[in-house]
């Protein structure tokens, strides 16, 4: 099969997967609605009533979507003169029309010839093709996930679907971000090409969320009385992960990497070539002490990979790709993790480009159910790109200047230290920039039980180059700080708006909250007065504890990495000195 045919098949899968997903969901939703209203399509006897029922079914399906008019228009075009009242058949009729539109638009991606004149735009287009493949992958497994639908596992299925659809949407949005600072009009053309696919993915996410809410609401009276949103995890205050901390650490390495030649390989990339495709069990790569100057990518088909080093300051992977030298942000990453169920322990990830080079990513993570324990991520602007899907960080240290933790993953940082470094003279520092674009996305950055402190070089100028907790990179940016020691480097205002071309944005639609923090920078009395700055009570705070936020912690506990799953009132740092 030619490369063009393979690409075309993948583009078609986007349309089929998303629409079929909507079809199945619609069938369930309509089944509930029709049963509750006492009506049944089989009892409709004349054409007018059939058509009216079809219109009602389409409107019902599209009701929770953001792009409702587009949803209804596409579905009604598929209905035509048909008198079917089956929700599944109604949406199936729209397959060909919508799929043709999407396929035609994606075919046009190959004719953006004007970008050849601009290297950064050309790189952005190449990145877009990679991102669209990743987006297709998330839509494919959403499609498969719906086939596993059953009431006994409904909460897990809905959570998976929301995470994966959010990932698909984020990849498409990242494609557009890559064109932001290009001089050609290729970015506008790409936005036109991607609009239909992004709207379809968004609508699918809205439908899944509405269905999830429907099942939650029905639970008390119709589904055997069991709380479908109740954690299957234990709620005791014991940190169970500590008991099994050596579960992976004690495993014999599959391969060893050593710069001095004492291992199986001298480079990490050589070791990665030995990972079986679609691996199902931990493949442990022990990386001995040393500075590894290489760019590492754990690809999508490299699952269950484990990196174990000799410590974050001893085993380090370093690079210096950066935006100023003509590389798009996505491509600057020293290490990129795409394979699901990745585990990194005692590792260091670095981008040494420096503050003057602007965006320079040390680690980009887009692997579902990835875990990092006792690792260091060091850079300046955009150090750690928590791009998509579910990520857990424990006892890690992350350093940087501007937006040095950013992205749209479901990311929890527990007992981690965030070190603000000295920026350029005219720069301010921001710890986080979360990229939740739509309200239905389950993503957020959750910082629990850690430190936010100044690097020794930044400490003398911390009131000159002011530092802030967050700024809203995307419309519904969401970040929560809980039980964290915040030193005096953080300004009383706490947050900055995002400066877009049209002016400051995100103040009213973001979701920023602080709960039970300590330290001089935790005083909320002078915080900015935005609608998006919220106060959490204990019940609301628990929704962002790891077990609730992730809807289960089996994948974390399987690694043996410590994890405190709740938000108990006594969870505090007794030691409030700088952690050097």
């Amino acid at each position: 099969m030619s490369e063009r045919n393979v690409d075309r098949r993948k583009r078609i899968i986007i349309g089929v997967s998303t629409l079929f997903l909507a079809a199945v969901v619609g069938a369930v939703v309509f089944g509930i609605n029709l049963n509750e209203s006492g009506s049944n399509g089989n009892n409709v006897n004349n054409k007018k009533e059939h058509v009216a029922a079809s219109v009602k079914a389409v409107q019902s399906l599209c009701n929770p979507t953001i792009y409702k008019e587009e949803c209804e228009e596409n579905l009604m075009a598929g209905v035509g003169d048909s008198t079917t009242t089956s929700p599944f058949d109604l949406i199936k009729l729209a397959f060909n029309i919508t799929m043709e539109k999407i396929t035609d638009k994606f075919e046009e991606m190959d004719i953006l010839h004007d970008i050849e004149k601009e290297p950064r735009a050309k790189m952005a287009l190449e990145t877009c093709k990679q991102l669209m493949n990743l987006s297709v992958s998330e839509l494919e497994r959403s499609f498969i996930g719906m086939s596993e639908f059953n009431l006994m596992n409904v909460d897990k299925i809905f959570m998976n679907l929301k995470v994966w659809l959010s990932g698909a949407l984020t990849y498409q949005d990242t494609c557009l971000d890559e064109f932001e600072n290009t001089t050609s009009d290729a970015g506008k053309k790409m936005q036109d090409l991607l609009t239909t696919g992004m709207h379809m993915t968004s609508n699918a996410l809205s439908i899944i969320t509405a269905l999830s809410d429907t099942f939650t609401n029905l639970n008390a009276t119709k589904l055997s009385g069991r709380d479908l949103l109740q954690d299957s995890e234990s709620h005791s205050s014991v940190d169970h992960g500590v008991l099994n901390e050596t579960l992976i650490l004690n495993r014999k390495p599959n391969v060893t990497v050593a710069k001095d030649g004492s291992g199986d390989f001298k480079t990490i990339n050589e070791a990665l070539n030995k990972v079986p495709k679609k691996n199902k069990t931990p493949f442990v790569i022990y990386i001995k002490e040393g500075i590894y100057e290489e760019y590492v990518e754990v690809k999508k088909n490299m699952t269950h990979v484990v990196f174990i080093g000799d410590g974050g300051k001893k085993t380090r992977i370093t690079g210096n790709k950066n935006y100023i030298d003509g590389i798009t942000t996505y491509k600057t990453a020293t290490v990129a993790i795409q394979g699901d169920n990745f585990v990194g322990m005692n590792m260091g990830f670095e981008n040494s480009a420096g503050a003057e080079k602007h965006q320079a990513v040390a680690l980009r993570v887009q692997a579902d159910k990835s875990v990092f324990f006792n690792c260091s991520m060091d850079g300046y602007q955009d150090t750690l790109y928590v791009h998509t899907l579910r990520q857990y960080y424990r006892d890690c240290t992350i350093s940087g200047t501007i937006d040095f933790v950013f992205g749209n993953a479901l990311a929890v940082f527990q007992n981690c230290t965030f070190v603000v470094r000295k920026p350029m003279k005219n720069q301010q520092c921001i710890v986080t920039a979360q990229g939740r674009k739509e309200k239905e996305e389950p993503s957020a950055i959750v910082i629990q039980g850690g430190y936010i402190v100044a690097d020794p070089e930044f400490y003398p100028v911390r009131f000159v180059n002011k530092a802030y907790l967050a700024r809203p990179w995307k419309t519904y940016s969401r970040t929560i700080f809980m039980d964290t020691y915040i030193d005096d480097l953080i300004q009383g205002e706490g947050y900055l708006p995002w400066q877009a071309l049209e002016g400051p944005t995100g103040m009213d639609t973001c979701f920023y909250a602080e709960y039970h923090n300590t330290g001089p920078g935790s005083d909320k009395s002078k915080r900015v007065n935005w609608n998006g700055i919220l106060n959490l009570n204990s019940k609301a705070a628990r929704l962002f504890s790891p077990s609730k936020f992730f809807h289960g912690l089996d994948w974390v506990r399987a690694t043996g990495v410590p994890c405190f799953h709740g938000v108990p009132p006594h969870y505090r740092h007794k030691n409030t000195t700088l952690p050097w």
Side-chain angles (χ1 to χ4, degrees):
M1 184 181 291
S2 70
E3 183 177 346
R4 176 173 287 275
N5 286 337
V6 171
D7 288 344
R8 182 181 178 86
R9 181 184 65 82
K10 289 184 176 180
R11 293 165 193 156
I12 289 173
I13 288 174
I14 292 179
V16 172
S17 298
T18 307
L19 281 173
F20 185 76
L21 180 63
V24 176
V25 172
V28 178
V29 171
F30 293 145
I32 293 171
N33 288 343
L34 291 174
N35 287 338
E36 289 182 343
S37 65
S39 61
N40 189 313
N42 294 329
N43 295 329
V44 179
N45 298 317
N46 60 66
K47 186 174 180 178
K48 288 184 178 180
E49 289 177 334
H50 272 282
V51 172
S54 296
V55 171
K56 183 178 180 181
V58 167
Q59 292 174 339
S60 180
L61 175 70
C62 296
N63 187 57
T65 65
I66 296 174
Y67 307 100
K68 189 181 303 184
E69 184 177 343
E70 186 174 343
C71 179
E72 292 180 0
E73 182 179 312
N74 285 334
L75 289 179
M76 289 310 301
V79 171
D81 294 329
S82 171
T83 58
T84 180
T85 57
S86 164
F88 184 83
D89 288 341
L90 286 172
I91 300 175
K92 189 167 65 173
L93 287 173
F95 277 7
N96 287 335
I97 294 175
T98 309
M99 194 158 45
E100 284 173 7
K101 290 181 180 179
I102 255 188
T103 304
D104 290 344
K105 290 297 182 183
F106 279 112
E107 289 291 344
E108 294 175 26
M109 188 181 291
D110 293 327
I111 63 172
L112 296 176
H113 300 300
D114 59 321
I115 70 167
E116 298 292 336
K117 302 174 184 178
E118 187 184 354
R120 202 190 299 272
K122 184 177 180 180
M123 185 181 297
L125 179 59
E126 293 171 355
T127 301
C128 272
K129 291 179 178 179
Q130 297 175 16
L131 289 163
M132 290 313 301
N133 281 331
L134 291 171
S135 185
V136 167
S137 177
E138 298 309 325
L139 290 165
E140 283 178 326
R141 65 171 162 184
S142 297
F143 172 81
I144 295 170
M146 278 306 300
S147 67
E148 300 172 351
F149 188 90
N150 65 79
L151 294 182
M152 297 304 294
N153 213 18
V154 66
D155 183 39
K156 180 179 179 180
I157 291 171
F158 281 140
M159 188 60 184
N160 285 341
L161 291 171
K162 286 187 281 188
V163 168
W164 298 335
L165 288 169
S166 176
L169 192 61
T170 300
Y171 290 134
Q172 295 169 46
D173 192 46
T174 302
C175 167
L176 300 182
D177 288 340
E178 290 293 282
F179 283 95
E180 266 189 357
N181 296 309
T182 57
T183 57
S184 70
D185 63 349
K188 177 62 170 64
K189 291 180 180 179
M190 185 61 70
Q191 184 170 7
D192 292 341
L193 294 180
L194 293 181
T195 295
T196 300
M198 293 184 74
H199 286 185
M200 289 177 65
T201 308
S202 170
N203 286 343
L205 178 60
S206 296
I207 292 167
I208 283 293
T209 302
L211 182 59
S212 176
D213 292 343
T214 298
F215 271 90
T216 301
N217 294 334
L218 287 172
N219 173 57
T221 57
K222 295 188 177 181
L223 297 178
S224 71
R226 189 174 69 88
D227 183 1
L228 294 176
L229 289 181
Q230 182 178 343
D231 256 323
S232 59
E233 310 289 338
S234 165
H235 287 275
S236 70
S237 60
V238 177
D239 196 344
H240 293 282
V242 175
L243 303 177
N244 299 312
E245 184 175 334
T246 57
L247 184 64
I248 284 182
L249 287 172
N250 277 352
R251 291 180 69 98
K252 182 180 178 180
N254 294 81
V255 295
T256 298
V257 178
K259 288 183 67 70
D260 61 9
S262 62
D264 301 301
F265 304 101
K266 289 186 177 181
T267 70
I268 299 165
N269 282 305
E270 287 177 302
L272 283 171
N273 288 332
K274 294 297 181 180
V275 178
K277 291 184 178 179
K278 298 183 179 180
N279 182 50
K280 299 296 184 183
T281 58
F283 187 92
V284 179
I285 301 175
Y286 170 44
I287 307 170
K288 288 188 175 182
E289 180 177 350
I291 305 299
Y292 295 84
E293 297 177 352
E294 54 181 311
Y295 293 94
V296 175
E297 182 179 15
V298 179
K299 297 180 180 178
K300 188 71 175 177
N301 61 0
M302 298 177 180
T303 55
H304 297 275
V305 171
V306 180
F307 283 1
I308 298 180
D310 286 327
K313 299 300 181 184
K314 294 180 178 180
T315 300
R316 296 179 68 78
I317 309 172
T318 186
N320 61 4
K321 290 182 179 179
N322 61 85
Y323 182 81
I324 292 298
D325 289 347
I327 301 174
T328 57
T329 303
Y330 184 87
K331 289 286 191 178
T332 63
T334 302
V335 178
I337 308 296
Q338 295 180 359
D340 291 345
N341 296 100
F342 175 87
V343 179
M345 294 183 173
N346 304 325
M347 291 291 303
F349 307 92
E350 179 185 48
N351 192 311
S352 61
E356 68 277 4
K357 293 293 187 176
H358 295 266
Q359 296 96 323
V361 176
L363 175 64
R364 185 183 79 235
V365 184
Q366 47 210 142
D368 199 17
K369 300 182 177 180
S370 50
V371 176
F372 293 84
F373 175 52
N374 197 29
C375 291
S376 295
M377 299 85 175
D378 296 309
Y380 289 84
Q381 183 171 349
D382 292 357
T383 302
L384 175 58
Y385 194 174
V386 289
H387 193 193
T388 57
L389 310 176
R390 286 164 283 201
Q391 306 176 19
Y392 175 71
Y393 299 79
R394 172 75 181 223
D395 298 344
C396 294
T397 300
I398 305 99
S399 71
T401 54
I402 300 171
D403 305 336
F404 64 92
V405 179
F406 75 111
N408 193 34
L410 287 81
V412 171
F413 295 84
Q414 205 169 71
N415 285 10
C416 293
T417 301
F418 300 83
V419 182
V420 179
R421 302 179 78 172
K422 184 178 180 180
M424 296 172 66
K425 288 184 178 180
N426 62 339
Q427 290 180 331
Q428 300 177 104
C429 296
I430 305 100
V431 178
T432 67
Q434 205 277 336
R436 182 168 167 250
K437 185 179 181 181
E438 297 192 0
K439 197 172 184 179
E440 306 294 356
E441 294 186 87
S443 52
I445 291 173
V446 179
I447 294 174
Q448 182 187 24
Y451 296 91
I452 298 176
V453 296
D455 180 85
E457 290 188 12
F458 177 62
Y459 192 80
V461 297
R462 67 193 187 283
F463 301 135
V464 178
N465 299 97
K466 298 178 179 180
Y468 300 84
L469 293 173
R471 61 173 176 166
W473 179 26
K474 301 290 182 179
T475 305
Y476 292 99
S477 178
R478 183 164 64 172
T479 305
I480 296 91
F481 302 86
M482 300 192 294
D483 299 299
T484 294
Y485 176 81
I486 304 175
D487 209 354
D488 66 356
L489 72 157
I490 297 299
Q491 294 294 303
E493 301 97 307
Y495 306 93
L496 287 176
W498 188 266
Q499 295 296 334
L501 291 176
E502 62 274 17
T505 64
M507 296 89 77
D508 294 333
T509 51
C510 67
F511 184 119
Y512 289 156
E514 300 171 58
Y515 179 79
H516 281 186
N517 298 308
T518 58
S522 68
D523 182 3
K524 295 188 290 184
S525 63
K526 296 181 181 179
R527 292 293 191 249
V528 290
N529 186 25
W530 301 349
N531 288 337
I533 306 297
L534 306 174
N535 291 315
L536 301 183
N537 57 29
S538 59
K539 183 178 180 180
R542 280 196 294 273
L543 295 176
F544 297 101
S545 65
S547 60
K548 287 287 188 182
F549 185 54
F550 290 134
H551 287 229
L553 287 171
D554 55 319
W555 53 280
V556 176
R557 290 186 173 149
T559 68
V561 171
C563 180
F564 200 105
H565 53 74
V567 187
H570 61 274
Y571 193 36
R572 297 281 189 280
H573 280 290
K574 294 180 181 179
N575 177 18
T576 56
T577 58
L578 296 179
W580 331 112

